[in-house]
Every structure is written in structure tokens, then in C-alpha cells.
Amino acid sequence: MSNSQDMVFTLYGDYVRHRGGEAWTGSLIELLGLFGLSGQAVRSTLSRMSRKGWLNGRKSGRHSFYSLTPQCIELLEEGARRIYQPRTDPWDGRWHLVTYSIPEFKRSLRRRLRKRLLWLGYGALHQGTWISPRDLRSEVEQTTGSLAIHPYVEFFIAEHRGFSSDKEIVARCWDLSGLNDYYADFVARYTPSYQQHLARLEAGNGLMPEECFVQRFMLVHEYRSSPYVDPNLPLELLPDDWLGDRATRLFQHYHDLLSEGAETFVDTVLAKAPHEETRWEK
């Protein structure tokens, strides 16, 4: 499994975010310990994420608690929308272009803009020219405003009248082949366990809450990386053998199947947090 910080993001994004956004360190250690993280590794990760501005740490007596910062809440909510509410509107045939020419002395801002454009689903048509079939102008304006680079960025809406087909342009701007391979692997690995767990439930042989949590955590932890690199292109621009929709359906059905047990287990572990010590206690 990937690094400990990603695992903390998954735990907070899928569970803690919906339960007030704060958790006791002891509960986090117990939950993440199921995936091989030691108590020291969890504490170090939480401390590091606090220094980076993703979490706020506080003490209550001898006990430590970590809550989400506004920056982290925004990131997790945007990620959740991409995972659970991907856009499905049809394409209107127009391309939305972002062009930029950022001076070399601002190259760090240029890197941050590129990273954000990738996150939004843009593809690089040429150096300094990025395209998307989606109208994402408000998101781009927010980004350029936060980076203070408005004078170096332009936004256009265009129709393609060139010599390549739209799908050829897509193939040049996005690695859909590699992404489709990822989806094929995801479907191949998770379909057998989904069918096995579904059969157990239908036979009245329920799943233990801890088992549901572990499996759902792994499912979400792995799947959530795909919307971060999937440009969420309209159906009209996807290859005929596209497996993204099949992977999404599998994820949604499996997630729903495991949710009741997983939520119950997390509630039980989080309930072990010590009672708050009041200010007048000695």
C-alpha cells in the first residue's frame, strides 16, 4: 500500500470527515495498524501533516487529537466529488483552452499551475497550451487568482477545424491507454472478492465489521487515485474499449456492500476516545 500520508488522507476523507473532522490519535493508530503501520509511524505522519497545514493537532491532558484544516477539507471535498459525483454531461463539441507564458523567475508558480491543470483534467496540447472538453473557467480563474498570475494566462473557447480527429487529439493529450490498463487491473482484482462477499451476504453469512472496514479502506484507497488522473472526458471522446465506467460501477456497488459493517467498526473504534478533560480538573 502507498505511503502513510495517503493512508491518513483516505481515513479522514472517507470516515473522519463525516464525524466532525477530528479523531483521537489512539483511534487512528488502531485503525491504521490494521494495515501494518506502527504507532510511531502514525504519530510521525500526523505530526508531519500538521506541519504541512493539512491537520491541526491539540492536546487534552495526556491525549492528542487531530482535526482537519480548512485547506484539507477543501481538498477532500473536491476529491470526493470527483470520486462519487463525476460529470456525465454530453460534449457540446467545443474545446476550452488555457494558454500561459509565465516568466522563468516565476517557474515555481508555473509548476503549480500545471499541477492544478492536470488535477482539473486538462491535457497538454503544446507547451503552454492546455485543453479540456469541459468548461472549467471558474476553476481556472480561482487558481490563477490564488497564484496571482492573471497577467500571464489566457482562456479561449474554440472549435476544432484542423486535420486530426477529436479522438486523435485526445490520444495525444491524455494517456488513456495507460489509464485503461489500470482500470482493467482494478476490475480483474476486485471482481472476484466482490462476488465472493456478495454471495456470502446473500447466503446469510454476514461479514464481520472489521473485515468490511479493511476491505472498503483498501478499495477506496486504491480507487481514489484514478479520478485524480482520469480527465473525466465525455463519452463521445473515449475509446470503444473504455473500462472506466465498468470500474466505477464495481467500485460503487462494492463500496455500498461494505458500508454498513465498515461504518459500524469505525464508530466503535472512534468511541474509545478518552473523555475531554475540563479546565477545572486538576
Side-chain angles (χ1 to χ4, degrees), residues 44-267:
S44 296
T45 300
L46 295 172
S47 178
R48 184 168 64 252
M49 293 179 70
S50 180
R51 292 194 299 272
K52 291 180 178 179
W54 297 117
L55 298 174
N56 280 325
R58 70 176 180 89
K59 287 279 191 177
S60 177
R62 297 178 296 104
H63 306 292
S64 299
F65 296 79
Y66 283 88
S67 60
L68 293 166
T69 62
Q71 173 190 0
C72 194
I73 291 173
E74 181 180 354
L75 175 71
L76 293 176
E77 288 183 347
E78 186 171 0
R81 286 192 295 271
R82 295 182 67 131
I83 294 172
Y84 300 107
Q85 299 172 330
R87 291 181 59 169
T88 58
D89 47 309
W91 187 40
D92 64 4
R94 297 188 297 176
W95 292 98
H96 301 265
L97 281 68
V98 174
T99 67
Y100 58 83
S101 180
I102 301 175
E104 182 62 20
F105 71 89
K106 291 181 179 286
R107 59 182 178 275
S108 63
L109 297 179
R110 187 168 59 214
R111 287 194 296 268
R112 290 172 64 183
L113 175 61
R114 289 171 179 166
K115 185 176 181 179
R116 180 61 178 170
L117 291 174
L118 282 171
W119 161 261
L120 290 173
Y122 279 86
L125 182 62
H126 298 292
Q127 185 176 4
T129 302
W130 294 60
I131 66 171
S132 171
R134 306 287 192 189
D135 185 356
L136 301 168
R137 179 172 179 173
S138 61
E139 290 87 342
V140 173
E141 287 182 342
Q142 183 180 15
T143 298
T144 55
S146 65
L147 297 177
I149 54 174
H150 275 320
Y152 310 109
V153 180
E154 298 294 344
F155 191 91
F156 300 91
I157 299 176
E159 293 183 0
H160 176 231
R161 299 293 178 85
F163 304 102
S164 304
S165 69
D166 288 314
K167 286 193 174 182
E168 286 174 331
I169 290 178
V170 166
R172 193 160 72 232
C173 296
W174 292 278
D175 181 18
L176 294 190
S177 176
L179 187 56
N180 214 29
D181 289 342
Y182 165 82
Y183 283 133
D185 181 65
F186 181 87
V187 169
R189 286 189 297 108
Y190 280 98
T191 295
S193 58
Y194 168 69
Q195 293 175 338
Q196 179 189 44
H197 287 154
L198 180 62
R200 283 176 57 183
L201 289 173
E202 290 176 343
N205 182 16
L207 305 174
M208 296 297 292
E210 180 178 325
E211 183 180 5
C212 290
F213 166 72
V214 169
Q215 189 66 4
R216 188 178 117 172
F217 184 97
M218 294 174 64
L219 180 78
V220 173
H221 188 69
E222 179 165 342
Y223 180 80
R224 79 178 180 91
S225 65
S226 63
Y228 285 63
V229 295
D230 189 332
N232 187 212
L233 299 176
L235 181 63
E236 297 88 340
L237 296 175
L238 294 172
D240 295 335
D241 62 346
W242 183 244
L243 293 172
D245 291 340
R246 183 177 173 186
T248 297
R249 288 193 300 271
L250 172 62
F251 169 79
Q252 292 171 341
H253 292 159
Y254 206 175
H255 187 277
D256 291 346
L257 185 72
L258 299 166
S259 286
E260 183 177 354
E263 300 283 354
T264 297
F265 181 75
V266 170
D267 285 338

